[in-house]
Amino acid sequence: MKLFLDANVLFTAARTPLGKAALIIDCGGRGYWGLLTSSYAIEEVRRNLERKSPTSLPELVGLLRNIDIVIPSLSAPCPDNLPLKDRPIFQAAQTGAASHLLTGDLKDFGPLMNRPDLTFGIIVQTVAELLATA
């Protein structure tokens, strides 16, 4: 499995080092699955941590050591109903050949959750959903 981590997953892992999102990254670092993200997601996380939890920034740096950074192909297909702000995230997951896109963004990704028929084969899930099935 190759897991693409959305910004909110990285944010949660940095703020809660003993939580489920951090466990996903720890398991990836131990070789259970591949981990991917994008510079677009990392920049969003950095901005949010600087505003909301600046003491968590060093934790983010540590987490990123186990994650490959994908440069998205902006020509990669996207689900039609995905908002423009989320397209670079999906396209990076697509470019990195992710099997899963993990996100907590239920508002924008909710209609695509567990619907690989709508997401070009990528399984969009929350961290909890992945851990319940892994």
Side-chain angles (χ1 to χ4, degrees):
M1 288 193 309
K2 286 172 78 173
L3 311 178
F4 185 91
L5 307 178
D6 193 2
N8 51 54
V9 173
L10 294 170
F11 179 87
T12 301
R15 283 194 62 181
T16 314
L18 298 177
K20 292 176 185 174
L23 175 63
I24 291 287
I25 296 172
D26 182 58
C27 289
R30 295 172 188 264
Y32 288 99
W33 40 62
L35 298 173
L36 309 168
T37 195
S38 68
S39 57
Y40 181 84
I42 293 167
E43 285 310 310
E44 182 179 340
V45 174
R46 282 197 177 123
R47 278 192 316 272
N48 289 333
L49 286 175
E50 285 171 358
R51 266 194 358 252
K52 298 177 182 179
S53 184
T55 59
S56 300
L57 283 165
E59 186 69 28
L60 174 65
V61 172
L63 294 171
L64 291 175
R65 291 186 188 120
N66 294 319
I67 303 171
D68 293 328
I69 299 172
V70 177
I71 298 170
S73 167
L74 299 181
S75 64
C78 269
D80 291 334
N81 60 341
L82 195 60
L84 288 177
K85 71 176 184 67
D86 293 310
R87 288 175 177 258
I89 294 295
F90 187 86
Q91 288 171 316
Q94 184 90 337
T95 302
S99 58
H100 294 71
L101 189 162
L102 299 184
T103 184
D105 182 354
L106 300 179
K107 179 181 174 234
D108 295 326
F109 282 98
L112 304 174
M113 294 281 184
N114 297 299
R115 293 291 311 269
D117 56 311
L118 300 177
T119 56
F120 308 94
I122 296 174
I123 300 168
V124 179
Q125 290 184 317
T126 64
V127 166
E129 287 175 321
L130 176 79
L131 289 173
T133 61

